[in-house]
Amino acid sequence: MKLAAVAFYGLAAGLLAVGLRELLTGFEENRCSMTYMFEYPEYRRVALPRRVARLYPAYGLYLYGEGVYAQETRALKLTGAPVLFLPGNAGSYKQARSLGSVALRKAETMEGGLHFNVFTVDFNEELVALYGGSLLRQTHFLHESIKAILRLYKHLKTPPQSVVLVGHSMGGVVARALFTLPRFNTNLVSLIITQASPHLAPVLALDPYLLDFYSAVRQKWVNQANKLRNVTVLSVGGGYRDYQVRSGLTSLPCPPGDPNKLSLVVTAVPRTWVSTDHLSIVWCKELVLATVRAFFDLIDPETRQFTENSEKKLAVLNHHFIKHPVRLPGETQETPVSISDLPDAWSEVNTLRLAYSTPKEGQPKFFLFALSSRRKAYSHFYCRSNNLEMTSWVYGCLQKNGSSCVFAADLSKGTELLPPYKVLTLRLSDLSSFTHLFVSASNLNGKQFTVECEWQREESQTLSVAVPHVLSFGLTSSDVTVNSSGLLHTIELQHFHQVYQAFRINVASQCKVQKDRLPSVYRIKVPWFREDSLTTVSVPSVTEISGMLHTSRPDNTSGALLQLHTAPNCQYKVSIRTSLPRVLGQILRFCGHMVPVYTAVTLLLACGGQVSSILKSRRATDMSQMVGKGLQPHKVNLPVYILHIALSCSCFQEVWSMLFLPSMDTLPPTFPDVAFHEEETPGEEWVHLLSPLLYIFGAAVAYWGSTLLRLVIRLISLVLAPLHRPSVSRDCGTLRLRTQLLITLCLTVMGGTSCGALSIFASFLFHLYRVLRLQMTERYLRHMLNLAPRKHKEAENGTIDPECLSRSKESNGTPLLSECALQEVRDDLQLHLCLSALFTLPVMLSGPSLIHWIRNLRYSTQLNPDPCWPYIVPLIFVYMLLINCNTLKLSNSKLLPLTSCLPLHLAIIMVTFSPLHLYRITYFLLASLIPLALCCLL
């Protein structure tokens, strides 16, 4: 039985390891270019009012500078446009150097002396993603910093009226939280750019302050969206390399009709097209360049400050972060364009496809396409060119003179930039006012490039394939072959719209004729969110694409698209298989926060099993056996699922709300606009179906974690044994009543005046010492019984009657007494090992607040606010009482039958209400431990 448990939990741990490996390492290599400083960076501290400095001694405001610029701004007489960088969780204010350095280098090439003043805030590298007590304090300091920055420009004739905020990680959430402050003037900030900021929900909700903060920010931006429509917010997610903040959480919760709130993944940003990890998104040169270019385009030439025009801000951000058309933001070309009449430069194309490479000698060249003969047979006109200069190149002819066009309208606005070339697709139904199209392939500067164009039928260029089921485990594949007679093909991946799906998409290309061709681009396009990913390959080649999603489609209507920008006259074979490692990685990416809940459930049920064993046989069972039996999905997941189904009925919902019960907590947000989905959609059912698997993962963590704990206790007891006098009593390591009360009082006072997590950790150490003494005593008694091998063997096999202690009183045999003492110590050791494993959970959950308190000791000796204050006293009381607990006291307690019934019910409640509120785990554990502690008294 034990071997079977080891094999089962070994397999579960193996699957968990495969999923973790895929989550942490199963992504593309870091293709970001590093940003370098050409001069030594300097951070000049900005003096703040005394009141502000006294209220926030741990924080600071700095101005970034290099070289000559740093010397010129020494007196803080500034003339640029202010930009304020906000670091995130444990982030340094020095992370602003990438943005500041690139902005300085770019300003050197700008006319008129346009430049930026990049400020940065020092938040003392606080762990605000895990401890939410500092978030409101950071928000208030940010408000004071903005006012201090604007005061530096009072000497200008046209001083800036607002500051642009760039927030990384939790810094982006703090930036949006500014608008929740009652005295904040919303005109002080009109543009916010966030990088890898979890806007939808915190990654881990370890304290209520974090959730309260998120709730206040969400309510402000959702309920008062109309008042904040003039504030432009751009949120950029890092992609799959960022395993700390998944990109789905970076979606902004806002009304669907608000155009000023943009959310996207960095892989879809033009001229970037790379995935970044949580830190590299700050210094990734490709993304920093896109940000700085957007900043310079946002400058109003008259005021030399950031524009307040919302339409212009939106146009600039769309240009640099979404589509990147050839026309620069603000350029308008509605009037017809006059084209010089050079007969030799014009060629009329009568074939279905054009492929033209410019000569080395510069010359004007125009290709004319007649629309009248193509309207009925074709639906689109597609053109691409690897001349990446941002110039107009496709026109609609308004007036034709012979074989040339005299007046034309520019149609290049819809051009989209891809890594190797720019592409333009025109719908013929939108070109009714034109008789011809013409493409400019002029290379007056002698630059060589290639232009390829063709007429297309949408129905013939679009294919559909159903992706394999997620339970196919890669054994079956869905194949489709594209005989490329065209330049663009779209494959609709049917039923691919859920985040738990993950595929290996292999694309093999082969051509009959070997010649130089433009590269092929494979693009996974997600219609409901800007999370496209692009892969550029040469032809012929065999390429594997990772098919995964950052967000689910709310309506489940259609799946993602695979666009193939192909080489003509080549064949492309697409094979799609389910990837089990990637599926496991996706499950952990979206539901990993539920594993600690099931770990706590397993340990709680293990302790409940020990209590039941003591109640029935007056003896404790081996800890590994009890933890192994803590996996009971039929008793835990089934009631939760039944409750979930019951809550879909309106009458049950009314009863639920009348009882003032909180909503169920088992569903993580997977939709980009989750704030506006009041009811659960059918696609969310998968989380309930995966609950048994997550339970197995949690049980595996509990099983091997408790095994590791037992091993560590054995090793530590070996080290400490020479420092202690040998004992043969089960009461080793216990505390006298007076000592117990004194320690409890001291720990309570210490928790109230300094940090509650410190008191909890100290209480845990006291109990750990009791376990160590029991381990030493068990080893000592075992060595004593070496002189009685038969009795020792019986004790090892557990064949000694539990009533042997009472019988030993009538016997004069010392060996029998020793065997009973050994059995008693072993029973107490197994009980306290289970309790010790359970006690580690509150310690780990309160760990972030303890770390925050230690790092801020030089500023304050008291943690304020303290998320542990509601349960410090009862938890210390429980820890102290259970130190003196043993199996004899429990077996004689009248409360034991009632106590043995609580763990299962509390486990069900824990799974129902804790996955998105991890701090509740401590409360549910406490509800089970208090009756157990009382059993030691009654």
Side-chain angles (χ1 to χ4, degrees), residues 165-284:
L165 302 182
V166 179
H168 171 241
S169 186
M170 292 299 293
V173 181
V174 171
R176 292 175 63 240
L178 269 175
F179 297 84
T180 64
L181 300 180
R183 296 183 179 180
F184 178 71
N185 181 3
T186 57
N187 295 324
L188 296 181
V189 175
S190 60
L191 174 61
I192 301 173
I193 295 180
T194 68
Q195 301 168 338
S197 299
H199 293 295
L200 279 183
V203 178
L204 293 174
L206 296 181
D207 65 59
Y209 306 118
L210 194 60
L211 289 174
D212 292 343
F213 184 83
Y214 265 85
S215 177
V217 175
R218 180 189 296 263
Q219 289 179 9
K220 182 68 177 182
W221 285 84
V222 172
N223 299 338
Q224 301 184 24
N226 292 331
K227 296 181 180 180
L228 301 176
R229 291 181 72 90
N230 64 321
V231 183
T232 304
V233 185
L234 171 68
S235 175
V236 183
Y240 291 109
R241 284 190 60 85
D242 189 351
Y243 53 82
Q244 297 183 43
V245 177
R246 59 181 178 86
S247 296
L249 290 179
T250 63
S251 174
L252 292 166
C254 60
D258 190 349
N260 293 317
K261 310 300 182 289
L262 304 175
S263 303
L264 49 89
V265 180
V266 68
T267 53
V269 176
R271 303 174 107 182
T272 303
W273 298 305
V274 296
S275 179
T276 62
D277 58 53
H278 196 62
L279 293 180
S280 67
I281 195 171
V282 176
W283 54 257
C284 181

Side-chain angles (χ1 to χ4, degrees), residues 369-438:
F369 298 82
L371 282 169
S372 57
S373 60
R374 307 293 183 182
R375 294 188 191 276
K376 292 184 179 180
Y378 298 93
S379 60
H380 292 79
F381 179 76
Y382 173 88
C383 207
R384 67 190 182 194
S385 171
N386 61 350
N387 176 19
L388 300 182
E389 294 181 2
M390 293 296 99
T391 56
S392 299
W393 62 303
V394 178
Y395 301 85
C397 190
L398 294 172
Q399 183 178 344
K400 187 172 177 293
N401 182 14
S403 61
S404 62
C405 186
V406 181
F407 292 99
D410 187 6
L411 301 178
S412 307
K413 185 178 180 181
T415 301
E416 188 173 13
L417 192 63
L418 299 180
Y421 37 68
K422 56 186 178 184
V423 301
L424 176 64
T425 303
L426 298 173
R427 187 182 294 273
L428 299 190
S429 59
D430 299 333
L431 306 176
S432 57
S433 59
F434 305 107
T435 59
H436 291 74
L437 298 175
F438 78 86

Side-chain angles (χ1 to χ4, degrees), residues 214-520:
Y214 265 85
S215 177
V217 175
R218 180 189 296 263
Q219 289 179 9
K220 182 68 177 182
W221 285 84
V222 172
N223 299 338
Q224 301 184 24
N226 292 331
K227 296 181 180 180
L228 301 176
R229 291 181 72 90
N230 64 321
V231 183
T232 304
V233 185
L234 171 68
S235 175
V236 183
Y240 291 109
R241 284 190 60 85
D242 189 351
Y243 53 82
Q244 297 183 43
V245 177
R246 59 181 178 86
S247 296
L249 290 179
T250 63
S251 174
L252 292 166
C254 60
D258 190 349
N260 293 317
K261 310 300 182 289
L262 304 175
S263 303
L264 49 89
V265 180
V266 68
T267 53
V269 176
R271 303 174 107 182
T272 303
W273 298 305
V274 296
S275 179
T276 62
D277 58 53
H278 196 62
L279 293 180
S280 67
I281 195 171
V282 176
W283 54 257
C284 181
K285 185 177 180 180
E286 289 78 4
L287 183 61
V288 173
L289 284 173
T291 305
V292 172
R293 292 189 192 108
F295 283 168
F296 276 100
D297 287 340
L298 286 169
I299 294 294
D300 187 337
E302 295 183 1
T303 63
R304 304 171 65 85
Q305 298 296 330
F306 286 103
T307 180
E308 299 295 330
N309 189 328
S310 297
E311 293 183 359
K312 182 177 180 180
K313 287 187 292 184
L314 189 62
V316 169
L317 294 179
N318 272 282
H319 176 86
H320 290 283
F321 288 92
I322 296 180
K323 197 163 186 179
H324 207 294
V326 296
R327 191 178 299 165
L328 293 175
E331 290 186 358
T332 57
Q333 200 169 11
E334 302 298 335
T335 57
V337 181
S338 178
I339 308 296
S340 60
D341 190 5
L342 297 173
D344 296 338
W346 290 85
S347 299
E348 187 164 358
V349 181
N350 296 317
T351 58
L352 298 180
R353 184 180 300 112
L354 165 70
Y356 173 75
S357 296
T358 58
K360 294 182 180 180
E361 301 79 15
Q363 65 177 22
K365 191 67 177 178
F366 305 96
F367 293 97
L368 197 64
F369 298 82
L371 282 169
S372 57
S373 60
R374 307 293 183 182
R375 294 188 191 276
K376 292 184 179 180
Y378 298 93
S379 60
H380 292 79
F381 179 76
Y382 173 88
C383 207
R384 67 190 182 194
S385 171
N386 61 350
N387 176 19
L388 300 182
E389 294 181 2
M390 293 296 99
T391 56
S392 299
W393 62 303
V394 178
Y395 301 85
C397 190
L398 294 172
Q399 183 178 344
K400 187 172 177 293
N401 182 14
S403 61
S404 62
C405 186
V406 181
F407 292 99
D410 187 6
L411 301 178
S412 307
K413 185 178 180 181
T415 301
E416 188 173 13
L417 192 63
L418 299 180
Y421 37 68
K422 56 186 178 184
V423 301
L424 176 64
T425 303
L426 298 173
R427 187 182 294 273
L428 299 190
S429 59
D430 299 333
L431 306 176
S432 57
S433 59
F434 305 107
T435 59
H436 291 74
L437 298 175
F438 78 86
V439 177
S440 173
S442 303
N443 65 329
L444 301 180
N445 56 2
K447 182 179 180 180
Q448 289 186 287
F449 57 88
T450 300
V451 176
E452 294 180 341
C453 304
E454 71 172 4
W455 302 97
Q456 292 184 344
R457 297 186 185 92
E458 185 176 14
E459 59 276 7
S460 63
Q461 307 295 119
T462 304
L463 303 173
S464 296
V465 60
V467 296
H469 195 274
V470 70
L471 296 181
S472 64
F473 302 115
L475 300 178
T476 61
S477 65
S478 297
D479 303 322
V480 62
T481 301
V482 177
N483 293 312
S484 177
S485 59
L487 302 177
L488 173 65
H489 294 81
T490 301
I491 301 176
E492 182 181 350
L493 305 177
Q494 296 178 354
H495 314 303
F496 181 28
H497 46 64
Q498 291 296 325
V499 294
Y500 65 88
Q501 297 172 296
F503 304 100
R504 289 185 293 108
I505 303 175
N506 286 284
V507 182
S509 60
Q510 56 184 1
C511 306
K512 296 180 180 179
V513 180
Q514 299 296 327
K515 64 177 184 178
D516 292 336
R517 294 179 171 86
L518 290 178
S520 294

Side-chain angles (χ1 to χ4, degrees), residues 600-621:
V601 166
T602 304
L603 294 176
L604 179 60
L605 293 180
C607 284
Q610 286 286 29
V611 173
S612 298
S613 176
I614 295 171
L615 178 64
K616 294 178 181 178
S617 62
R618 303 175 67 88
R619 285 185 52 189
T621 310

